[in-house]
Amino acid sequence: AILCTAGESMSALLSAAAPASPLPAVFVSGVSAAALRQLLSYIYTGEVEVVPETALDLFVAATRFELSV
């Protein structure tokens, strides 16, 4: 429920996966695992530590999911 409130793009991604299986898996292409972890952390905590190694990937992911970090 928290992830769906993060934005329209995130909600659409999760809603599309939800009815398919009792344990749905969501595949996110074009986003590194590290950036996705940081993005999820931001959604849940409202904070993110941006490090040079993942800054660009994090920006791309945040833009894709229409979030401002």
Side-chain angles (χ1 to χ4, degrees):
I2 291 173
L3 292 176
C4 287
T5 65
E8 293 291 324
S9 295
M10 185 68 75
S11 180
L13 176 71
L14 296 173
S15 295
S21 166
L23 298 172
V26 177
F27 297 95
V28 182
S29 62
V31 177
S32 72
L36 189 56
R37 271 191 301 276
Q38 286 182 293
L39 196 65
L40 292 172
S41 177
Y42 172 73
I43 291 169
Y44 278 99
T45 67
E47 298 178 2
V48 65
E49 181 180 345
V50 179
V51 294
E53 296 80 19
T54 59
L56 182 57
D57 287 343
L58 181 60
F59 176 75
V60 169
T63 301
R64 179 175 174 182
F65 294 112
E66 301 170 357
L67 303 173
S68 56
V69 292

